[in-house]
Amino acid sequence: MPEGDTVWQTAKRLHTALAGRTLTRTDFRVPKYATVDLTGRMVLDVTPRGKHLLTRVEGGLTIHSHLGMEGSWKVFADQQRWTGGPAHQIRIVLTAASATPAAPDPDVADPTEAHPARTAVGYRLPVLDLLRTTEEHRAVGHLGPDLLGPDWDPDRALANLLTDPARPLGEALLDQRNLAGIGNVYKSELCFLLRVTPWLPIGALPAEHTAQLPLLAKKLLEANRDRPIRSTTGRRGQDLFVYSRANRLCLRCTTPIRVADQGDGSRERPTYWCPNCQAGPAPGTTPGAD
C-alpha cells in the first residue's frame, strides 16, 4: 500500500531513471492532457512530497501524480516488456534518452550503453496533472510537514495534530494537512506501538505518548524508506504488529487482532488493533480476514 516510504522509493527510482535526460516520448493517457507533448524537454528532478510525486521538466512544468491506493510507477529498459498491469490501466508514459556519463569509461565503446534509455510508466494513477512549477502549491500547499522531507518540523506537526483534541487519533494521523506521509498501515502500527486504539481522542493521549508521536512516526518511515519489505517489528517473517493480521494472534500478548473501518465511510479504511494491548474506545468488530 503506497505511503510516504513507498512514494519516497518511487521518487528515487524515477529520479535515477529520468533526471538529467531528455524526453523522447511522452504519452498522457487522460483526456485533459491527450494532446500534450513534452518531447525534447529535459527532466530536472523527481521530488516526493508526502504521498505526492512532482516530476519537474524544462520549461517550468511539473507533472504531479498521486498513487492513491493502487497506483504505481514502473521503470523499464528499452525493449523490456511492461508488467505493471493491463494497457488500459496506463495513465502516462515517459521515455528518456540514453545518457552519456560525465566521465565516460574508456573501455566502453558506446558510453551510453552504461546508461541506456529508460521508460517510466504510471499505472492506475488517480491523480495526474500538469502544472506550472511555480504553482505546485496548488497541488501540495495544503500538506503538513513531510515526515521524509526537508521541511519536517515535529513541533508544527504535533501542534497540527492537537488542533482538534476530540478527533480520533487514527483520523488525525491520516489527515495529510497535519503531517504528510502516513496511511492506513502506519496509522494502525503507530497506535499499537503507543498502546492506544485509533479511536482514542488525540487529546486524551497520555502526555509522554503525545510528545513521542511525531518522532516515532518519522523513525518508522525513515527505517523503511530503503527497505523492499516494510517492517515495524524488526522480526523476519513477522513484519507488522497488527495491520492486515485480523484474527491472528497479537505478537505481544497472543490476543486475536481485530479489524474495523474508521472514518465517515467515504473510503475503505480498514483499521487493525489489539483489544488487550491497546487502551481506549473501539467499535464492534467487522467480520473478515486478511
Side-chain angles (χ1 to χ4, degrees), residues 7 9-11 13-14 18 27-28 46 53-55 63-67 70-76 84 91-94 119-125 127-128:
V7 175
Q9 292 173 15
T10 300
R13 186 165 61 253
L14 289 174
L18 303 177
D27 182 3
F28 288 79
V46 182
L53 285 161
L54 303 171
T55 303
I63 301 169
H64 165 235
S65 59
H66 192 291
L67 301 182
E70 299 179 348
S72 68
W73 278 93
K74 303 290 185 180
V75 175
F76 303 100
R91 298 293 176 263
I92 183 172
V93 179
L94 301 174
T119 296
V121 183
Y123 291 88
R124 300 172 298 278
L125 302 175
V127 176
L128 182 64

PDB file of all heavy atoms in Angstrom, residues 7 9-11 13-14 18 27-28 46 53-55 63-67 70-76 84 91-94 119-125 127-128:
ATOM      1  N   VAL A   7       6.322   6.162  -1.601  1.00  0.00           N
ATOM      2  CA  VAL A   7       6.426   7.288  -2.520  1.00  0.00           C
ATOM      3  C   VAL A   7       7.871   7.773  -2.595  1.00  0.00           C
ATOM      4  O   VAL A   7       8.373   8.126  -3.667  1.00  0.00           O
ATOM      5  CB  VAL A   7       5.475   8.422  -2.091  1.00  0.00           C
ATOM      6  CG1 VAL A   7       5.658   9.648  -2.969  1.00  0.00           C
ATOM      7  CG2 VAL A   7       4.024   7.941  -2.161  1.00  0.00           C
ATOM      8  N   GLN A   9      10.569   5.953  -2.196  1.00  0.00           N
ATOM      9  CA  GLN A   9      11.283   4.974  -3.020  1.00  0.00           C
ATOM     10  C   GLN A   9      10.958   5.162  -4.497  1.00  0.00           C
ATOM     11  O   GLN A   9      11.845   5.075  -5.356  1.00  0.00           O
ATOM     12  CB  GLN A   9      10.913   3.550  -2.591  1.00  0.00           C
ATOM     13  CG  GLN A   9      11.409   3.159  -1.219  1.00  0.00           C
ATOM     14  CD  GLN A   9      10.871   1.803  -0.774  1.00  0.00           C
ATOM     15  OE1 GLN A   9      10.353   1.028  -1.581  1.00  0.00           O
ATOM     16  NE2 GLN A   9      10.991   1.514   0.503  1.00  0.00           N
ATOM     17  N   THR A  10       9.694   5.424  -4.791  1.00  0.00           N
ATOM     18  CA  THR A  10       9.282   5.620  -6.177  1.00  0.00           C
ATOM     19  C   THR A  10       9.956   6.851  -6.764  1.00  0.00           C
ATOM     20  O   THR A  10      10.443   6.823  -7.909  1.00  0.00           O
ATOM     21  CB  THR A  10       7.756   5.769  -6.261  1.00  0.00           C
ATOM     22  OG1 THR A  10       7.138   4.583  -5.754  1.00  0.00           O
ATOM     23  CG2 THR A  10       7.302   5.994  -7.694  1.00  0.00           C
ATOM     24  N   ALA A  11      10.002   7.935  -6.000  1.00  0.00           N
ATOM     25  CA  ALA A  11      10.651   9.162  -6.475  1.00  0.00           C
ATOM     26  C   ALA A  11      12.136   8.924  -6.738  1.00  0.00           C
ATOM     27  O   ALA A  11      12.686   9.392  -7.742  1.00  0.00           O
ATOM     28  CB  ALA A  11      10.460  10.279  -5.453  1.00  0.00           C
ATOM     29  N   ARG A  13      13.576   6.098  -7.549  1.00  0.00           N
ATOM     30  CA  ARG A  13      13.706   5.257  -8.739  1.00  0.00           C
ATOM     31  C   ARG A  13      13.460   6.067 -10.011  1.00  0.00           C
ATOM     32  O   ARG A  13      14.199   5.945 -11.000  1.00  0.00           O
ATOM     33  CB  ARG A  13      12.722   4.096  -8.637  1.00  0.00           C
ATOM     34  CG  ARG A  13      12.849   3.063  -9.729  1.00  0.00           C
ATOM     35  CD  ARG A  13      12.103   1.794  -9.369  1.00  0.00           C
ATOM     36  NE  ARG A  13      10.678   2.008  -9.178  1.00  0.00           N
ATOM     37  CZ  ARG A  13      10.058   1.992  -7.999  1.00  0.00           C
ATOM     38  NH1 ARG A  13      10.736   1.754  -6.893  1.00  0.00           N
ATOM     39  NH2 ARG A  13       8.747   2.196  -7.921  1.00  0.00           N
ATOM     40  N   LEU A  14      12.436   6.924 -10.002  1.00  0.00           N
ATOM     41  CA  LEU A  14      12.146   7.749 -11.161  1.00  0.00           C
ATOM     42  C   LEU A  14      13.243   8.784 -11.400  1.00  0.00           C
ATOM     43  O   LEU A  14      13.619   9.055 -12.547  1.00  0.00           O
ATOM     44  CB  LEU A  14      10.799   8.457 -10.982  1.00  0.00           C
ATOM     45  CG  LEU A  14       9.553   7.574 -11.059  1.00  0.00           C
ATOM     46  CD1 LEU A  14       8.312   8.394 -10.713  1.00  0.00           C
ATOM     47  CD2 LEU A  14       9.417   6.939 -12.426  1.00  0.00           C
ATOM     48  N   LEU A  18      15.237   9.104 -14.895  1.00  0.00           N
ATOM     49  CA  LEU A  18      14.844  10.184 -15.793  1.00  0.00           C
ATOM     50  C   LEU A  18      15.645  11.477 -15.644  1.00  0.00           C
ATOM     51  O   LEU A  18      15.851  12.186 -16.647  1.00  0.00           O
ATOM     52  CB  LEU A  18      13.364  10.516 -15.575  1.00  0.00           C
ATOM     53  CG  LEU A  18      12.355   9.383 -15.758  1.00  0.00           C
ATOM     54  CD1 LEU A  18      10.951   9.892 -15.423  1.00  0.00           C
ATOM     55  CD2 LEU A  18      12.403   8.811 -17.163  1.00  0.00           C
ATOM     56  N   ASP A  27       3.426  10.358 -23.340  1.00  0.00           N
ATOM     57  CA  ASP A  27       2.077   9.908 -23.719  1.00  0.00           C
ATOM     58  C   ASP A  27       1.168  10.005 -22.492  1.00  0.00           C
ATOM     59  O   ASP A  27       1.198   9.166 -21.607  1.00  0.00           O
ATOM     60  CB  ASP A  27       2.160   8.461 -24.223  1.00  0.00           C
ATOM     61  CG  ASP A  27       0.802   7.920 -24.695  1.00  0.00           C
ATOM     62  OD1 ASP A  27      -0.175   8.692 -24.685  1.00  0.00           O
ATOM     63  OD2 ASP A  27       0.744   6.735 -25.065  1.00  0.00           O
ATOM     64  N   PHE A  28       0.377  11.080 -22.443  1.00  0.00           N
ATOM     65  CA  PHE A  28      -0.590  11.271 -21.366  1.00  0.00           C
ATOM     66  C   PHE A  28      -1.892  10.594 -21.778  1.00  0.00           C
ATOM     67  O   PHE A  28      -2.544  11.033 -22.733  1.00  0.00           O
ATOM     68  CB  PHE A  28      -0.847  12.755 -21.117  1.00  0.00           C
ATOM     69  CG  PHE A  28       0.283  13.485 -20.453  1.00  0.00           C
ATOM     70  CD1 PHE A  28       1.394  13.888 -21.184  1.00  0.00           C
ATOM     71  CD2 PHE A  28       0.235  13.775 -19.098  1.00  0.00           C
ATOM     72  CE1 PHE A  28       2.439  14.571 -20.587  1.00  0.00           C
ATOM     73  CE2 PHE A  28       1.278  14.467 -18.480  1.00  0.00           C
ATOM     74  CZ  PHE A  28       2.381  14.863 -19.230  1.00  0.00           C
ATOM     75  N   VAL A  46      12.857  14.538  -9.781  1.00  0.00           N
ATOM     76  CA  VAL A  46      11.607  13.939  -9.307  1.00  0.00           C
ATOM     77  C   VAL A  46      11.642  14.012  -7.791  1.00  0.00           C
ATOM     78  O   VAL A  46      12.539  13.464  -7.149  1.00  0.00           O
ATOM     79  CB  VAL A  46      11.445  12.486  -9.769  1.00  0.00           C
ATOM     80  CG1 VAL A  46      10.102  11.932  -9.288  1.00  0.00           C
ATOM     81  CG2 VAL A  46      11.540  12.384 -11.289  1.00  0.00           C
ATOM     82  N   LEU A  53       3.958  12.992  -5.915  1.00  0.00           N
ATOM     83  CA  LEU A  53       5.184  12.981  -6.700  1.00  0.00           C
ATOM     84  C   LEU A  53       5.190  14.179  -7.637  1.00  0.00           C
ATOM     85  O   LEU A  53       4.197  14.446  -8.330  1.00  0.00           O
ATOM     86  CB  LEU A  53       5.284  11.690  -7.520  1.00  0.00           C
ATOM     87  CG  LEU A  53       5.653  10.425  -6.744  1.00  0.00           C
ATOM     88  CD1 LEU A  53       5.272   9.191  -7.542  1.00  0.00           C
ATOM     89  CD2 LEU A  53       7.141  10.419  -6.428  1.00  0.00           C
ATOM     90  N   LEU A  54       6.313  14.886  -7.667  1.00  0.00           N
ATOM     91  CA  LEU A  54       6.466  16.057  -8.519  1.00  0.00           C
ATOM     92  C   LEU A  54       7.626  15.801  -9.479  1.00  0.00           C
ATOM     93  O   LEU A  54       8.789  15.738  -9.064  1.00  0.00           O
ATOM     94  CB  LEU A  54       6.739  17.304  -7.672  1.00  0.00           C
ATOM     95  CG  LEU A  54       5.680  17.628  -6.611  1.00  0.00           C
ATOM     96  CD1 LEU A  54       6.178  18.749  -5.700  1.00  0.00           C
ATOM     97  CD2 LEU A  54       4.345  18.003  -7.262  1.00  0.00           C
ATOM     98  N   THR A  55       7.312  15.629 -10.765  1.00  0.00           N
ATOM     99  CA  THR A  55       8.324  15.412 -11.786  1.00  0.00           C
ATOM    100  C   THR A  55       8.491  16.712 -12.557  1.00  0.00           C
ATOM    101  O   THR A  55       7.602  17.113 -13.317  1.00  0.00           O
ATOM    102  CB  THR A  55       7.909  14.277 -12.743  1.00  0.00           C
ATOM    103  OG1 THR A  55       7.680  13.083 -11.983  1.00  0.00           O
ATOM    104  CG2 THR A  55       8.987  14.013 -13.779  1.00  0.00           C
ATOM    105  N   ILE A  63       4.923  17.600 -13.637  1.00  0.00           N
ATOM    106  CA  ILE A  63       3.930  16.531 -13.715  1.00  0.00           C
ATOM    107  C   ILE A  63       3.641  16.089 -12.289  1.00  0.00           C
ATOM    108  O   ILE A  63       4.517  15.584 -11.596  1.00  0.00           O
ATOM    109  CB  ILE A  63       4.448  15.340 -14.543  1.00  0.00           C
ATOM    110  CG1 ILE A  63       4.809  15.778 -15.954  1.00  0.00           C
ATOM    111  CG2 ILE A  63       3.404  14.220 -14.574  1.00  0.00           C
ATOM    112  CD1 ILE A  63       5.581  14.735 -16.748  1.00  0.00           C
ATOM    113  N   HIS A  64       2.419  16.308 -11.843  1.00  0.00           N
ATOM    114  CA  HIS A  64       2.020  15.972 -10.476  1.00  0.00           C
ATOM    115  C   HIS A  64       1.205  14.686 -10.497  1.00  0.00           C
ATOM    116  O   HIS A  64       0.228  14.567 -11.244  1.00  0.00           O
ATOM    117  CB  HIS A  64       1.174  17.109  -9.894  1.00  0.00           C
ATOM    118  CG  HIS A  64       0.419  16.722  -8.652  1.00  0.00           C
ATOM    119  ND1 HIS A  64      -0.952  16.870  -8.541  1.00  0.00           N
ATOM    120  CD2 HIS A  64       0.839  16.180  -7.474  1.00  0.00           C
ATOM    121  CE1 HIS A  64      -1.338  16.450  -7.356  1.00  0.00           C
ATOM    122  NE2 HIS A  64      -0.279  16.026  -6.687  1.00  0.00           N
ATOM    123  N   SER A  65       1.624  13.717  -9.704  1.00  0.00           N
ATOM    124  CA  SER A  65       0.881  12.463  -9.636  1.00  0.00           C
ATOM    125  C   SER A  65       0.731  12.014  -8.189  1.00  0.00           C
ATOM    126  O   SER A  65       1.499  12.413  -7.309  1.00  0.00           O
ATOM    127  CB  SER A  65       1.565  11.364 -10.457  1.00  0.00           C
ATOM    128  OG  SER A  65       2.885  11.106 -10.006  1.00  0.00           O
ATOM    129  N   HIS A  66      -0.273  11.195  -7.972  1.00  0.00           N
ATOM    130  CA  HIS A  66      -0.553  10.627  -6.653  1.00  0.00           C
ATOM    131  C   HIS A  66      -0.885   9.157  -6.865  1.00  0.00           C
ATOM    132  O   HIS A  66      -1.639   8.804  -7.783  1.00  0.00           O
ATOM    133  CB  HIS A  66      -1.730  11.362  -6.012  1.00  0.00           C
ATOM    134  CG  HIS A  66      -1.930  11.074  -4.557  1.00  0.00           C
ATOM    135  ND1 HIS A  66      -2.348   9.849  -4.079  1.00  0.00           N
ATOM    136  CD2 HIS A  66      -1.760  11.850  -3.455  1.00  0.00           C
ATOM    137  CE1 HIS A  66      -2.439   9.884  -2.763  1.00  0.00           C
ATOM    138  NE2 HIS A  66      -2.081  11.088  -2.354  1.00  0.00           N
ATOM    139  N   LEU A  67      -0.323   8.288  -6.016  1.00  0.00           N
ATOM    140  CA  LEU A  67      -0.514   6.854  -6.206  1.00  0.00           C
ATOM    141  C   LEU A  67      -1.853   6.351  -5.695  1.00  0.00           C
ATOM    142  O   LEU A  67      -2.297   5.263  -6.085  1.00  0.00           O
ATOM    143  CB  LEU A  67       0.619   6.084  -5.503  1.00  0.00           C
ATOM    144  CG  LEU A  67       2.037   6.405  -5.957  1.00  0.00           C
ATOM    145  CD1 LEU A  67       3.033   5.521  -5.213  1.00  0.00           C
ATOM    146  CD2 LEU A  67       2.201   6.240  -7.453  1.00  0.00           C
ATOM    147  N   GLU A  70      -3.901   2.169  -5.181  1.00  0.00           N
ATOM    148  CA  GLU A  70      -3.425   1.088  -6.037  1.00  0.00           C
ATOM    149  C   GLU A  70      -2.495   1.545  -7.149  1.00  0.00           C
ATOM    150  O   GLU A  70      -2.061   0.736  -7.963  1.00  0.00           O
ATOM    151  CB  GLU A  70      -4.622   0.354  -6.669  1.00  0.00           C
ATOM    152  CG  GLU A  70      -5.556  -0.284  -5.641  1.00  0.00           C
ATOM    153  CD  GLU A  70      -6.734  -0.980  -6.298  1.00  0.00           C
ATOM    154  OE1 GLU A  70      -6.945  -0.768  -7.510  1.00  0.00           O
ATOM    155  OE2 GLU A  70      -7.425  -1.748  -5.601  1.00  0.00           O
ATOM    156  N   GLY A  71      -2.149   2.833  -7.193  1.00  0.00           N
ATOM    157  CA  GLY A  71      -1.308   3.330  -8.268  1.00  0.00           C
ATOM    158  C   GLY A  71       0.152   2.934  -8.109  1.00  0.00           C
ATOM    159  O   GLY A  71       0.618   2.593  -7.017  1.00  0.00           O
ATOM    160  N   SER A  72       0.882   2.988  -9.222  1.00  0.00           N
ATOM    161  CA  SER A  72       2.317   2.697  -9.181  1.00  0.00           C
ATOM    162  C   SER A  72       2.997   3.279 -10.407  1.00  0.00           C
ATOM    163  O   SER A  72       2.363   3.503 -11.449  1.00  0.00           O
ATOM    164  CB  SER A  72       2.572   1.179  -9.123  1.00  0.00           C
ATOM    165  OG  SER A  72       2.192   0.560 -10.335  1.00  0.00           O
ATOM    166  N   TRP A  73       4.287   3.543 -10.267  1.00  0.00           N
ATOM    167  CA  TRP A  73       5.156   3.892 -11.377  1.00  0.00           C
ATOM    168  C   TRP A  73       6.148   2.754 -11.554  1.00  0.00           C
ATOM    169  O   TRP A  73       6.770   2.312 -10.587  1.00  0.00           O
ATOM    170  CB  TRP A  73       5.929   5.170 -11.094  1.00  0.00           C
ATOM    171  CG  TRP A  73       5.204   6.459 -11.338  1.00  0.00           C
ATOM    172  CD1 TRP A  73       4.485   7.186 -10.444  1.00  0.00           C
ATOM    173  CD2 TRP A  73       5.187   7.200 -12.574  1.00  0.00           C
ATOM    174  NE1 TRP A  73       4.001   8.331 -11.024  1.00  0.00           N
ATOM    175  CE2 TRP A  73       4.420   8.364 -12.326  1.00  0.00           C
ATOM    176  CE3 TRP A  73       5.736   6.992 -13.837  1.00  0.00           C
ATOM    177  CZ2 TRP A  73       4.200   9.320 -13.322  1.00  0.00           C
ATOM    178  CZ3 TRP A  73       5.507   7.947 -14.825  1.00  0.00           C
ATOM    179  CH2 TRP A  73       4.742   9.090 -14.565  1.00  0.00           C
ATOM    180  N   LYS A  74       6.311   2.286 -12.780  1.00  0.00           N
ATOM    181  CA  LYS A  74       7.282   1.244 -13.097  1.00  0.00           C
ATOM    182  C   LYS A  74       8.294   1.793 -14.095  1.00  0.00           C
ATOM    183  O   LYS A  74       7.945   2.599 -14.963  1.00  0.00           O
ATOM    184  CB  LYS A  74       6.591   0.015 -13.693  1.00  0.00           C
ATOM    185  CG  LYS A  74       5.503  -0.590 -12.817  1.00  0.00           C
ATOM    186  CD  LYS A  74       6.079  -1.251 -11.581  1.00  0.00           C
ATOM    187  CE  LYS A  74       4.981  -1.951 -10.785  1.00  0.00           C
ATOM    188  NZ  LYS A  74       5.502  -2.603  -9.569  1.00  0.00           N
ATOM    189  N   VAL A  75       9.543   1.349 -13.959  1.00  0.00           N
ATOM    190  CA  VAL A  75      10.604   1.773 -14.874  1.00  0.00           C
ATOM    191  C   VAL A  75      11.092   0.562 -15.660  1.00  0.00           C
ATOM    192  O   VAL A  75      11.382  -0.494 -15.076  1.00  0.00           O
ATOM    193  CB  VAL A  75      11.778   2.407 -14.098  1.00  0.00           C
ATOM    194  CG1 VAL A  75      12.928   2.741 -15.052  1.00  0.00           C
ATOM    195  CG2 VAL A  75      11.318   3.673 -13.378  1.00  0.00           C
ATOM    196  N   PHE A  76      11.185   0.725 -16.978  1.00  0.00           N
ATOM    197  CA  PHE A  76      11.567  -0.375 -17.852  1.00  0.00           C
ATOM    198  C   PHE A  76      12.720   0.020 -18.765  1.00  0.00           C
ATOM    199  O   PHE A  76      12.830   1.180 -19.187  1.00  0.00           O
ATOM    200  CB  PHE A  76      10.377  -0.811 -18.722  1.00  0.00           C
ATOM    201  CG  PHE A  76       9.170  -1.214 -17.926  1.00  0.00           C
ATOM    202  CD1 PHE A  76       8.106  -0.334 -17.753  1.00  0.00           C
ATOM    203  CD2 PHE A  76       9.094  -2.464 -17.339  1.00  0.00           C
ATOM    204  CE1 PHE A  76       6.989  -0.695 -17.021  1.00  0.00           C
ATOM    205  CE2 PHE A  76       7.978  -2.835 -16.595  1.00  0.00           C
ATOM    206  CZ  PHE A  76       6.924  -1.948 -16.439  1.00  0.00           C
ATOM    207  N   GLY A  84       3.355  -3.807 -15.389  1.00  0.00           N
ATOM    208  CA  GLY A  84       2.671  -3.189 -14.258  1.00  0.00           C
ATOM    209  C   GLY A  84       1.167  -3.363 -14.243  1.00  0.00           C
ATOM    210  O   GLY A  84       0.500  -2.970 -13.281  1.00  0.00           O
ATOM    211  N   ARG A  91      -1.738   5.392 -17.373  1.00  0.00           N
ATOM    212  CA  ARG A  91      -2.169   6.788 -17.415  1.00  0.00           C
ATOM    213  C   ARG A  91      -1.128   7.703 -18.059  1.00  0.00           C
ATOM    214  O   ARG A  91      -1.464   8.768 -18.565  1.00  0.00           O
ATOM    215  CB  ARG A  91      -2.470   7.291 -15.987  1.00  0.00           C
ATOM    216  CG  ARG A  91      -3.609   6.536 -15.311  1.00  0.00           C
ATOM    217  CD  ARG A  91      -4.922   6.801 -15.992  1.00  0.00           C
ATOM    218  NE  ARG A  91      -6.014   6.019 -15.410  1.00  0.00           N
ATOM    219  CZ  ARG A  91      -6.452   4.871 -15.907  1.00  0.00           C
ATOM    220  NH1 ARG A  91      -5.906   4.373 -17.010  1.00  0.00           N
ATOM    221  NH2 ARG A  91      -7.430   4.216 -15.332  1.00  0.00           N
ATOM    222  N   ILE A  92       0.147   7.296 -18.032  1.00  0.00           N
ATOM    223  CA  ILE A  92       1.188   8.137 -18.606  1.00  0.00           C
ATOM    224  C   ILE A  92       2.410   7.294 -18.926  1.00  0.00           C
ATOM    225  O   ILE A  92       2.707   6.315 -18.234  1.00  0.00           O
ATOM    226  CB  ILE A  92       1.575   9.289 -17.639  1.00  0.00           C
ATOM    227  CG1 ILE A  92       2.607  10.217 -18.280  1.00  0.00           C
ATOM    228  CG2 ILE A  92       2.067   8.743 -16.304  1.00  0.00           C
ATOM    229  CD1 ILE A  92       2.888  11.483 -17.464  1.00  0.00           C
ATOM    230  N   VAL A  93       3.104   7.677 -20.021  1.00  0.00           N
ATOM    231  CA  VAL A  93       4.346   7.027 -20.426  1.00  0.00           C
ATOM    232  C   VAL A  93       5.385   8.118 -20.677  1.00  0.00           C
ATOM    233  O   VAL A  93       5.118   9.066 -21.427  1.00  0.00           O
ATOM    234  CB  VAL A  93       4.161   6.186 -21.702  1.00  0.00           C
ATOM    235  CG1 VAL A  93       5.485   5.545 -22.121  1.00  0.00           C
ATOM    236  CG2 VAL A  93       3.086   5.122 -21.500  1.00  0.00           C
ATOM    237  N   LEU A  94       6.538   7.988 -20.046  1.00  0.00           N
ATOM    238  CA  LEU A  94       7.639   8.926 -20.247  1.00  0.00           C
ATOM    239  C   LEU A  94       8.887   8.125 -20.615  1.00  0.00           C
ATOM    240  O   LEU A  94       9.341   7.286 -19.833  1.00  0.00           O
ATOM    241  CB  LEU A  94       7.922   9.724 -18.973  1.00  0.00           C
ATOM    242  CG  LEU A  94       6.786  10.577 -18.400  1.00  0.00           C
ATOM    243  CD1 LEU A  94       7.205  11.174 -17.054  1.00  0.00           C
ATOM    244  CD2 LEU A  94       6.394  11.682 -19.366  1.00  0.00           C
ATOM    245  N   THR A 119      12.112   3.901 -19.727  1.00  0.00           N
ATOM    246  CA  THR A 119      10.719   4.307 -19.872  1.00  0.00           C
ATOM    247  C   THR A 119      10.013   4.158 -18.539  1.00  0.00           C
ATOM    248  O   THR A 119      10.050   3.085 -17.920  1.00  0.00           O
ATOM    249  CB  THR A 119       9.997   3.455 -20.932  1.00  0.00           C
ATOM    250  OG1 THR A 119      10.588   3.694 -22.215  1.00  0.00           O
ATOM    251  CG2 THR A 119       8.517   3.820 -20.999  1.00  0.00           C
ATOM    252  N   ALA A 120       9.388   5.228 -18.076  1.00  0.00           N
ATOM    253  CA  ALA A 120       8.600   5.210 -16.839  1.00  0.00           C
ATOM    254  C   ALA A 120       7.127   5.163 -17.211  1.00  0.00           C
ATOM    255  O   ALA A 120       6.656   5.967 -18.032  1.00  0.00           O
ATOM    256  CB  ALA A 120       8.905   6.442 -15.998  1.00  0.00           C
ATOM    257  N   VAL A 121       6.419   4.209 -16.620  1.00  0.00           N
ATOM    258  CA  VAL A 121       5.005   4.014 -16.931  1.00  0.00           C
ATOM    259  C   VAL A 121       4.186   4.138 -15.648  1.00  0.00           C
ATOM    260  O   VAL A 121       4.467   3.455 -14.657  1.00  0.00           O
ATOM    261  CB  VAL A 121       4.765   2.625 -17.579  1.00  0.00           C
ATOM    262  CG1 VAL A 121       3.299   2.476 -17.970  1.00  0.00           C
ATOM    263  CG2 VAL A 121       5.678   2.428 -18.781  1.00  0.00           C
ATOM    264  N   GLY A 122       3.200   5.013 -15.664  1.00  0.00           N
ATOM    265  CA  GLY A 122       2.345   5.214 -14.498  1.00  0.00           C
ATOM    266  C   GLY A 122       1.046   4.441 -14.638  1.00  0.00           C
ATOM    267  O   GLY A 122       0.285   4.669 -15.588  1.00  0.00           O
ATOM    268  N   TYR A 123       0.806   3.531 -13.724  1.00  0.00           N
ATOM    269  CA  TYR A 123      -0.396   2.691 -13.742  1.00  0.00           C
ATOM    270  C   TYR A 123      -1.402   3.138 -12.671  1.00  0.00           C
ATOM    271  O   TYR A 123      -1.009   3.447 -11.536  1.00  0.00           O
ATOM    272  CB  TYR A 123      -0.033   1.230 -13.463  1.00  0.00           C
ATOM    273  CG  TYR A 123       0.738   0.535 -14.555  1.00  0.00           C
ATOM    274  CD1 TYR A 123       2.123   0.588 -14.600  1.00  0.00           C
ATOM    275  CD2 TYR A 123       0.073  -0.190 -15.552  1.00  0.00           C
ATOM    276  CE1 TYR A 123       2.834  -0.070 -15.604  1.00  0.00           C
ATOM    277  CE2 TYR A 123       0.776  -0.847 -16.556  1.00  0.00           C
ATOM    278  CZ  TYR A 123       2.159  -0.780 -16.575  1.00  0.00           C
ATOM    279  OH  TYR A 123       2.864  -1.424 -17.565  1.00  0.00           O
ATOM    280  N   ARG A 124      -2.677   3.149 -13.037  1.00  0.00           N
ATOM    281  CA  ARG A 124      -3.778   3.340 -12.091  1.00  0.00           C
ATOM    282  C   ARG A 124      -3.598   4.596 -11.222  1.00  0.00           C
ATOM    283  O   ARG A 124      -3.950   4.605 -10.048  1.00  0.00           O
ATOM    284  CB  ARG A 124      -3.923   2.103 -11.190  1.00  0.00           C
ATOM    285  CG  ARG A 124      -4.209   0.824 -11.941  1.00  0.00           C
ATOM    286  CD  ARG A 124      -4.163  -0.398 -11.046  1.00  0.00           C
ATOM    287  NE  ARG A 124      -2.832  -0.572 -10.456  1.00  0.00           N
ATOM    288  CZ  ARG A 124      -1.819  -1.150 -11.089  1.00  0.00           C
ATOM    289  NH1 ARG A 124      -1.963  -1.625 -12.302  1.00  0.00           N
ATOM    290  NH2 ARG A 124      -0.628  -1.252 -10.499  1.00  0.00           N
ATOM    291  N   LEU A 125      -3.043   5.647 -11.794  1.00  0.00           N
ATOM    292  CA  LEU A 125      -2.835   6.882 -11.041  1.00  0.00           C
ATOM    293  C   LEU A 125      -4.153   7.640 -10.927  1.00  0.00           C
ATOM    294  O   LEU A 125      -4.688   8.107 -11.934  1.00  0.00           O
ATOM    295  CB  LEU A 125      -1.781   7.753 -11.724  1.00  0.00           C
ATOM    296  CG  LEU A 125      -0.404   7.123 -11.929  1.00  0.00           C
ATOM    297  CD1 LEU A 125       0.495   8.060 -12.732  1.00  0.00           C
ATOM    298  CD2 LEU A 125       0.247   6.782 -10.585  1.00  0.00           C
ATOM    299  N   VAL A 127      -4.624  10.518  -9.637  1.00  0.00           N
ATOM    300  CA  VAL A 127      -4.368  11.947  -9.825  1.00  0.00           C
ATOM    301  C   VAL A 127      -3.206  12.108 -10.792  1.00  0.00           C
ATOM    302  O   VAL A 127      -2.129  11.535 -10.582  1.00  0.00           O
ATOM    303  CB  VAL A 127      -4.034  12.649  -8.498  1.00  0.00           C
ATOM    304  CG1 VAL A 127      -3.675  14.109  -8.748  1.00  0.00           C
ATOM    305  CG2 VAL A 127      -5.202  12.543  -7.524  1.00  0.00           C
ATOM    306  N   LEU A 128      -3.407  12.852 -11.860  1.00  0.00           N
ATOM    307  CA  LEU A 128      -2.344  13.157 -12.820  1.00  0.00           C
ATOM    308  C   LEU A 128      -2.624  14.540 -13.392  1.00  0.00           C
ATOM    309  O   LEU A 128      -3.623  14.750 -14.079  1.00  0.00           O
ATOM    310  CB  LEU A 128      -2.295  12.116 -13.931  1.00  0.00           C
ATOM    311  CG  LEU A 128      -1.188  12.300 -14.967  1.00  0.00           C
ATOM    312  CD1 LEU A 128       0.186  12.165 -14.315  1.00  0.00           C
ATOM    313  CD2 LEU A 128      -1.330  11.290 -16.103  1.00  0.00           C
TER     314      LEU A 128
END
